[in-house]
Every structure is written in C-alpha cells, then in structure tokens.
Amino acid sequence: MSGAAYTVVGGGAIGGTLAHALARAGHPVTVVDTDAEHVAAIREHGLTVDHGGGRFAAARVSAVTPEEFDALHPADDGNGTGGGNGNAGGNGNGGAGRLSRVLLAVKAQATEPAVRWIARRLAPDGYVVSVQNGFNEALVAEHVGPERTVAAFVNIFADVTGPGVIRDGGPGAFVVGEPGGAPVSERVRRLVADLQAWGPARASDNVEGHLWAKAGFGAMLAATALADDAMADLVDRHRTAMYALVGEVFAVAGELGVRLEPFDAFEALAFQEGAPEAVRRAATDRLTAWLRTQPKDRSGIWRDIAVRRRPVEVTTHYASVFEEAERAGIPTPVLRAVIGGLRELEQDPAGMSESRLDELDRLAADLAAPGAPADRPRDGVPTPREESAPSSGATLDPSPETSSGPCPSPGGLPPGVRLSGEEARSVRAWLERHREEMAGDLAEYTARGSSSDDPAALEDCLAWLRGWLDEALGAPGGTTGITEELLERQGAGDVLVRRYPASNPAADGDARDPDGTGPRPVLLLAHYDTVWPTGTLEEWPFRREGDRISGPGVFDMKAGLVQAVWALRALDALGLPRPACTLLLNGDEETGSLASSDAIVAEASGSRAALVFEAAADGAVKTARKGVGLFRLTVRGVEAHAGLDPTAGASAVQEAAHQVLRLGALSDPAAGTTVNVGVLHGGTRSNVTAGQAVADLDVRVASTAERKRIEAALSALSPVDPRTQVAVTGDWNRPVFERTPEVGRLYELARACAEPLGLDLRETSVGGASDGNFVLAAGVPVLDGLGAVGAGAHARSEHTSASGMTERAALAAGVLAAFADGRPPGAAGTIR
C-alpha cells in the first residue's frame, strides 16, 4: 500500500465505513476498538461492508484493541520516546508506534477517555479528526492542542450489523476544515482528497455551521427513537414537535452567530425562525422523501436502545447545546423532553410508543400558542413573518390616489410597476447606447469555455466572472456594502453568491424582515456552465454577423447573465430605484445542479422572489416547467447456456423488454407526462441467457399528481417471469414547476413592464427544467426565461441577437425596479 496511513479509533458504523473506504483505496489503516469480538472478526475475515442485495465487500486492515496496541507500542512518556516495532498503528511518518492521522469515531460519551489515550501516542505533527456526532472539537483540542485538532462534520447513515460487518447507509455529507473557521489548510486539502475514497467529502471554513445544522436535524431523528417506526413517517406525522425541536437548537445557534449550512436533504435555513411556513413545509416534504430512499429507516439511537440495549450518545452530545442555551437564557423544553424520554427508554425499551411523540406535539403547540388556538398554524410553530403576513382579505390592488405607498402582496410581490413609461424607455435608450459594450462582454464571456465536466475550465471562467462583476457592479467590501460567498464544490463548479444592497434601502420598507434588519432581496439565478465540451471554441468560436450572435453557450445562457448585470447597471446609471439583490451563479446546472441545489434553496428561502435568466422560449417567459425524474430499471435473471440448456435460464433481457413496454405505456401526453427509456443494455454473450439488463429512464411530469402516479407505478413494477427480479432506483432530479397564482402575478408584472417598451410579452410552459424548479418548490415565486432571445439551445444553431440583449435587459430592469422603493406605482398602474 502506498497511500498515507490512518489510525481509526472506534471501528463502528462511521469509523468502519471510513476505514473500509481508505483501505480499499490503498491506504494502510489500523482500526483500534474496545470490542474484542469485532476486532477478532476483522482480523479473521477483513472489515466487511454490506451494500445490500447480497453484495458484500471486505477490506484488509490491521485491527487491535487498545491493550493490544499498547503491548506492541508502549505509551509515550510525553516526549516522543515510545517504542514498538511499527507493525500495528505505526504510520510511517510519526515514528514507530506514533499516531499521525487519527480519525476519532467513538461514541460521544467515550470521547474523553479515547482522546486521553490518543494524546499520549500522537506524533508532534499529527492530528485528530472528530468524525463523531455532537460538538467534540473543543474536548479534543483540550487534550491534544488546537494545532493538532481538525474539525469535521459527518452524516453517514450506517450500522454495525455483526462483528466485523458494517451495513452501508448510502452516500451522505462529509465536511472537513480547520477549527474556529480558519481558512482551509493544505493538510485539510490532502485529508479531503484521501477521504474522497469514501464519497463526496469536501473542505470548508464553516464546519461549525454544518455541526449546528446537524444538531437541529439530529434532534428530529432523536425524537423518532421514542417510537418504533420509520424515521420518515414519524417526522412527517409529528411536524409540530419536529419544528419546535429544530427551532430550539437553531435559536441557540443564532445567539452564537453561527451561519447554518444545508447538507444532504436537510435545508437548514428553511427551518430557521422567520422562514415562511410554505418553505418549511416544502423542505420537510423533500426531507422525508429523501429519508424514505435510505437503506436505513431507523436511527442509530433507536438501534442502540431497541437492539443493542445500551446507553445512547445523544444524551451526551446535546449537553453543549443545553449549556449554551442556559448561558443565553433560551428555553429548550421540547429538546429536554426528548432527552428525558430517551433516558427512560434506556432503562425500559418496551416503553417505546408514538404516544410520546403525540405528547411532544401537544407540548410544542402549547408553548407556541400566543393566545387563542386559532393563531397557530396547522402544522407548525408560528413565526414572526407568518404572524405579520396579510390576511386572505388583504387588498392587493390599492389605488395610487388613496395609498401612500405600495401594499405588499403575498410573498412580498410588488403591486405594480415602478418606472413610468418615460423612465422605462430611457432605460432602453441607455442600453441601446451601450449595445456594443454588452456584445463585447458576451464575446469575452463566451471565449472562456465552461463545460460542466471540466473543473479547470469552470474555475477559470468563474475567476473571470468575478473580476468582470467587480468592474461592472463594484467589488465586495465595506465601502460598497457588497458581500461575496464562494461555496466550494468538489467535482463540480463552485457556487458564487454576490449580495448587492438596495439603491435606496430606507424606502424599501414593504420588503423588510419583521425585525427590521433590512429588505429581503430578489434572487437572480444564472448558471455559467454549458453543455459544450472543452475544445468546441477552437472549431466554433464566438461570431457576430450584424445583429446575429452565435457561439457555444450564447443562448443557454451566457447572454442572460450579461443582460441581468447590464439591467442593474442601467438602473444605477440613471439613478432609478433598485432593490437588494442576490446574484447566484452555479456551475453544474446542465448536469442537474446536484452540487448546487442546496445553496439555491437556501438563498431562495430568504428571498422575495427569484428571476431566472435562462433563455426565453421564442421570446416568451416561462411560467411552468416539467419536473424531471432520472431512474434506472435493473433486471436480474438466471444465466444458462442458451444452446445446451435453454430452459434452465430466465432472460433478464426478455424481462426488460416486457418492462420497457410497460414503462412506455405510463406516458400520458395529454397530461404532459413522458417516460423515455433512453438507454437499454444487458447480457454478456449471444449464447448465454442474459443474467442482467439495465434500462435508464428520463421521466417528465407537468403536475404533482402525475409525479405521484408515476412514483406509484414504478414502485409497483413486478416481473412477468417470476424467476426474474426487477428493481427501480433513482429519484426526481427537479420538482415540478407549476404555474401558481404568485407566478401568474409575476408574469403580469413583467407584461406590464414590457408594454412601454412596445413588447407584447407572452408566457409559455416548457418540458425542460431549470433551477427555478427548486426555488418554486421551496415556496418562493419565480419568473423564468428572462434571458436571451434566440434559439438553438444545445445545438450548433445556438444564437441570440444584440438587439434582443438590450430589449431583455430593459425588461429585466423594469421588473427589478418594481421591487424597489416606496414610490407610488408608475404610469402602467397596478397589476390586476
């Protein structure tokens, strides 16, 4: 083995999973565990991971108990003179018997004795990474020093199912960084590179934000251990208690100034105080749907109580939450009730009952009640924003003569246009005078290839974009009020978030948060990746022929971003009102936004609305998009010799043919549903009855009802030949984007803004999806298709026009201005 050596202290679910992955990648690994039976099984059979479906994979690692380690390596006297022969635990660069790279994976309650043991054996340049639940970095640093402590957040759903055997829980989140939010170091980068042998590990300077987010999520999972049922179902049925639990944890995090981070399917910001109820509900729907896809349907806490009959660690790792809560004077009665209930169940597991969660619901509801029961939302604790929202009878169309300012509509949408016809035309005229500069910006942008699968090209393109944004709209800094976050993404383009203050924030009162801290922004979405492979520019460069502009990515969607930036520039140049805006650029939209959707939803949850600068559809904006599902059908048959014993086999290919016809029959064009089997392959040789076949599906649906119908049908697939097995894996890549009333209002607003420009703006529904799908599913209104006018997305005919760029930038400026100051609506009046 040639990789860096690691010592894993605690070879249970998390430690065993990581030790197995590192060993399989060629790293020398030593597992140190107090369970002698577990250690013996690893030594005899290897460390084994059960991937389900009868698939097991073993890896050879060194395994010892602490006593065995010490017999081989006498403990140090504190000055690094420990002896030993280096056969177990020695790692090649810390001296014989010295520990260099330690992954600490014991239960939280065992942290102190474990780290005391490690401290006497840790090399001077070694470090300890707490890959545990809870907040353990401070305790680790107390014993080994902060300079030898690495912070980590891990969310791995795995279980020990027997001595030496770990059940794989599927992919999760893994974030590593320096303690205290220090910049990512070279040692962290090297560590992350090694840990990617397991999966999507990444580096961050905000591990604390992930840990506190997980503390909120973990509180929900802890509550589900009070009953013997699936986590997803219990979270779904007891949302009142779940929201209260997360709320208590996040209130403490807020007091500490922690910036929460989303992970996996847990959208932390959707559960913060002040998040709209619809956003929180939608986030919970997505969370429970994700939990139902996990191989493990009950928590490790439940297993410790119900199966292993041992104390749970959760009572230990929430101690720091309670300490900080008491210090800040924040009550935590619901969380304390959960911990108290778990302590009772440690003594008598037979007391598990869903009635305990019913009681938590009642407690949370009683604590949240501001007065009359009618004041409480049906499924959660009220938030300031919900309590201050206009009632269903609020007027949405005030008369300019009787209103001193605009009346906010639901979701913070403006009641009408802000620019007068003359102002709107002046914006267009200003943009026309700068048409060549706009085209020049597009030319420079297009000249930088940004294929979704080329990290180096994406990095180079984003670097150029940051410099261009600095010049066009101002650089981040205290004097400008502009802020920037660069969210690193492993294996995909990084996410850039730029926040621009309103041009007249004092007047933007209708969009302010209830605490008065400032106006909620409008989210501007664009992606900088394209479908065009690196090298395309060499044979097909940017080209301008009169008004027509062509080149890879000009239509989808580089012109859209250029238009958005110039719309903001026009408003500023002419002294016209502009709202606070958040510009989010991602580099993996064309491949499904798998690495950026969490950031998109997080930003959306604090925004008034989102404007998506994807290309227009023959000039029309997009007010509905289909949801997209990517699924795989796997058929397992029985192999046999096709000539000598043709009846002994069961053909997976023949079964797949039956299933493909069934799948095709699920399409319903009238309802907007298509099921396309785009790839089908199986078998090994023509004279062998096929033992396996695989089909890849692309599913598009136009409504939530159709999505549920397809889900039910896929779940119900059964083999025609009972000797075969069929299974469907995969998920919905993007939720359905349906035309809601708020989306309709946004379209009417844009249409009114287009009138003084001489444009008859149309709306349409399209089959393709965008990042707007994620935003709308989070309960935030979206206007999509504000980008380029042209055609040829993903084709060599891709093109836009210079005149179209100025036209659409002027339209975007009008829509943006409508979200701005408190002046009465302009000449076009209000939206009816």
Side-chain angles (χ1 to χ4, degrees), residues 51 63 70 102 119 161 181 200 229 253 298 342 547 601 608 641 665-666 762 798:
H51 293 288
D70 289 341
V102 180
T161 57
D229 204 348
R298 285 164 171 75
L342 292 174
D547 192 41
V601 171
R608 301 175 66 184
H641 193 295
L666 294 175
R762 296 174 293 106
E798 184 172 3

Side-chain angles (χ1 to χ4, degrees), residues 289-635:
W290 176 77
L291 285 171
R292 290 187 176 99
T293 68
Q294 300 304 297
K296 173 180 169 181
D297 71 347
R298 285 164 171 75
S299 70
I301 304 166
W302 173 90
R303 181 172 290 275
D304 279 343
I305 293 173
V307 179
R308 300 191 182 110
R309 304 298 177 96
R310 68 184 187 184
V312 297
E313 64 174 339
V314 68
T315 55
T316 299
H317 65 64
Y318 277 97
S320 55
V321 176
F322 291 136
E323 290 172 6
E324 295 293 350
E326 289 176 1
R327 190 174 293 116
I330 296 172
T332 53
V334 185
L335 182 59
R336 289 182 182 277
V338 170
I339 300 303
L342 292 174
R343 288 196 175 108
E344 291 176 8
L345 293 177
E346 286 177 336
Q347 306 303 315
D348 181 16
M352 279 187 178
S353 170
E354 193 166 352
S355 64
R356 290 178 178 269
L357 288 164
D358 293 332
E359 185 58 36
L360 283 181
D361 282 335
R362 287 190 287 272
L363 172 62
D366 290 343
L367 291 168
D375 291 336
R376 293 198 302 272
R378 176 180 56 81
D379 68 346
V381 181
T383 66
R385 185 171 297 168
E386 290 163 9
E387 292 170 14
S388 63
S391 68
S392 58
T395 176
L396 303 181
D397 191 14
S399 167
E401 287 78 19
T402 60
S403 173
S404 60
C407 174
S409 59
L413 297 183
V417 300
R418 289 292 181 271
L419 301 184
S420 67
E422 181 180 352
E423 288 172 328
R425 288 185 288 273
S426 71
V427 169
R428 182 168 184 170
W430 186 90
L431 288 165
E432 286 288 348
R433 291 195 297 273
H434 293 83
R435 178 190 288 191
E436 295 309 311
E437 293 173 66
M438 292 179 68
D441 283 348
L442 179 58
E444 284 196 59
Y445 184 12
T446 306
R448 284 155 177 83
S450 50
S451 174
S452 301
D453 58 4
D454 187 337
L458 291 169
E459 183 178 0
D460 176 71
C461 183
L462 186 57
W464 180 86
L465 284 171
R466 294 172 72 190
W468 173 62
L469 290 172
D470 288 350
E471 295 178 7
L473 299 174
T479 58
T480 63
I482 301 168
T483 63
E484 176 185 277
E485 286 184 71
L486 186 62
L487 310 177
E488 295 184 357
R489 294 294 186 261
Q490 297 293 334
D494 294 339
V495 180
L496 178 68
V497 182
R498 285 267 178 114
R499 296 184 175 89
Y500 298 93
S503 58
N504 185 13
D508 202 11
D510 64 304
R512 285 181 174 273
D513 278 332
D515 61 5
T517 56
R520 285 179 286 137
V522 178
L523 179 61
L524 313 181
L525 282 179
H527 65 86
Y528 60 93
D529 64 318
T530 73
V531 299
W532 298 103
T534 299
T536 303
L537 281 164
E538 296 174 7
E539 54 185 282
W540 179 34
F542 177 92
R543 183 175 290 111
R544 171 89 180 272
E545 298 173 334
D547 192 41
R548 193 178 193 273
I549 295 173
S550 63
V554 294
F555 181 63
D556 184 14
M557 61 169 291
K558 294 192 174 184
L561 175 57
V562 173
Q563 292 163 197
V565 169
W566 277 89
L568 294 171
R569 290 190 66 177
L571 292 173
D572 288 346
L574 297 173
L576 296 171
R578 175 174 56 73
C581 295
T582 299
L583 176 64
L584 188 150
L585 308 181
N586 62 326
D588 66 337
E589 193 275 344
E590 296 292 5
T591 54
S593 301
L594 301 179
S596 59
S597 59
D598 57 347
I600 292 167
V601 171
E603 291 301 329
S605 65
S607 302
R608 301 175 66 184
L611 306 181
V612 182
F613 287 85
E614 288 280 5
D618 194 23
V621 292
K622 301 164 184 177
T623 54
R625 285 181 178 270
K626 291 184 180 181
V628 180
L630 303 176
F631 299 95
R632 168 166 286 187
L633 169 72
T634 301
V635 182

Side-chain angles (χ1 to χ4, degrees), residues 248-260:
E248 289 179 358
V249 174
F250 284 3
V252 180
E255 184 68 23
L256 296 174
V258 174
R259 175 168 54 85
L260 296 168

Side-chain angles (χ1 to χ4, degrees), residues 76 91 93-95 98-100 118-119 121-127 148:
D76 279 355
N91 45 41
N93 60 0
R98 305 301 302 280
L99 307 180
S100 182
I118 293 167
R121 297 156 179 83
L122 189 63
D125 61 348
Y127 57 76
R148 296 195 294 176

